[in-house]
Amino acid sequence: MGFVAETRLSDSPYLEQVSHGYTEGNGSTVRPSEIHWHMVFTKHQGGILPIVVGPLTSSGIVPYMEGLELLWVQFKLGTFMPHMPTRDRLDSETILPIAAGKSFWLKSSAWEFPTYENVETFIERLVRDDTLSFDPVVGAALQGHTQDIPSRTLRHRFLRATGLTQKHIHQVERARQAAALLEQGVSILDTVYEVGYFDQPHLTRSLKQWIGQTPAQILRMNQPNLHECPDATPT
């Protein structure tokens, strides 16, 4: 029971990846924090609901119901909608109004619902309409290549496009890297060293905040026969 989904990378300069799936039952799942914003289209009993989901600043639990079909469109860092600032969408979901037929309203225009196959065409139309923009300074800032940009201007543009600070994004990405190592079977202490945490408690606090699980929980999930795995805090 749970989610069944397929995901593909996108060749669009505005998109990170696209996912399509459905739920097999009622339940809930751990949701990690998310530095990207999404457009999500949920279909249930013939109706489609378009939702703009902002970046999620901490992990949490998300419930789901049986019979949902979902299309997730994940945008690259630096992609944003000028009329809907990302910084105003943190930890929130904005339901877009339905228009006539198989369409919805966005920036005073009616748009046909995209599909898993034609998302890129939908995104190109949003860009041509100036509904969607991209600020390359975000990627440059994350790579440390912004020496010629005044710090105040950089902070403003970064927050406008992502809604987050560079420090926040780096913390989440480090936690994801640590979780990936643990999923591969790397020990907790080796993960602390590889990713650059101060100590094991630092790693545990980070993963609980950003991923929603402790290091021991991640190891046990990926090593079913593991009976004992030390952790800094009880699970």
Side-chain angles (χ1 to χ4, degrees):
M1 305 295 282
F3 288 106
V4 176
E6 57 178 329
T7 299
R8 63 175 176 81
L9 297 177
S10 175
D11 58 5
S12 168
Y14 304 92
L15 295 181
E16 191 72 30
Q17 62 183 29
V18 183
S19 301
H20 175 255
Y22 59 90
T23 58
E24 291 188 313
N26 299 317
S28 62
T29 186
V30 175
R31 170 195 53 71
S33 61
E34 179 56 72
I35 58 178
H36 302 266
W37 67 278
H38 294 67
M39 292 188 75
V40 181
F41 300 89
T42 66
K43 182 183 294 185
H44 186 248
Q45 297 180 346
I48 303 180
L49 196 64
I51 308 171
V52 174
V53 181
L56 304 170
T57 57
S58 64
S59 62
I61 303 296
V62 58
Y64 54 85
M65 67 175 68
E66 184 175 7
L68 279 178
E69 182 180 352
L70 301 101
L71 174 66
W72 296 270
V73 182
Q74 184 185 84
F75 292 87
K76 285 185 181 292
L77 290 174
T79 302
F80 66 103
M81 291 191 291
H83 74 290
M84 294 179 67
T86 309
R87 63 177 176 270
D88 296 337
R89 306 294 163 187
L90 295 180
D91 300 311
S92 70
E93 297 183 354
T94 302
I95 299 175
L96 302 175
I98 303 298
K102 298 180 179 180
S103 59
F104 63 98
W105 291 105
L106 180 62
K107 195 188 173 186
S108 302
S109 297
W111 300 88
E112 187 175 343
F113 288 107
T115 66
Y116 184 65
E117 293 76 20
N118 73 2
V119 165
E120 283 75 12
T121 300
F122 167 70
I123 296 303
E124 289 174 5
R125 291 171 179 167
L126 291 180
V127 173
R128 288 198 299 269
D129 186 66
D130 293 327
T131 299
L132 200 65
S133 298
F134 181 80
D135 193 340
V137 77
V138 171
L142 293 173
Q143 296 297 321
H145 300 153
T146 55
Q147 294 87 346
D148 297 331
I149 302 177
S151 58
R152 185 174 180 178
T153 300
L154 175 60
R155 285 194 300 271
H156 171 74
R157 291 175 61 177
F158 199 95
L159 283 171
R160 179 187 63 173
T162 70
L164 304 167
T165 64
Q166 294 182 61
K167 180 179 179 180
H168 180 102
I169 290 174
H170 284 307
Q171 287 176 331
V172 175
E173 289 182 331
R174 180 166 66 167
R176 288 179 175 176
Q177 183 183 356
L181 290 174
L182 293 166
E183 290 169 358
Q184 296 167 16
V186 177
S187 72
I188 292 175
L189 292 180
D190 284 344
T191 298
V192 168
Y193 174 78
E194 288 291 335
V195 185
Y197 285 102
F198 296 124
D199 51 26
Q200 185 174 327
H202 186 203
L203 169 66
T204 299
R205 290 193 300 271
S206 176
L207 291 187
K208 288 180 70 175
Q209 180 176 4
W210 307 122
I211 307 300
Q213 296 176 309
T214 67
Q217 288 172 325
I218 295 173
L219 280 174
R220 282 199 295 268
M221 183 179 298
N222 292 278
Q223 299 181 30
N225 295 323
L226 186 64
H227 297 291
E228 292 186 12
C229 181
D231 200 348
T233 58
T235 58

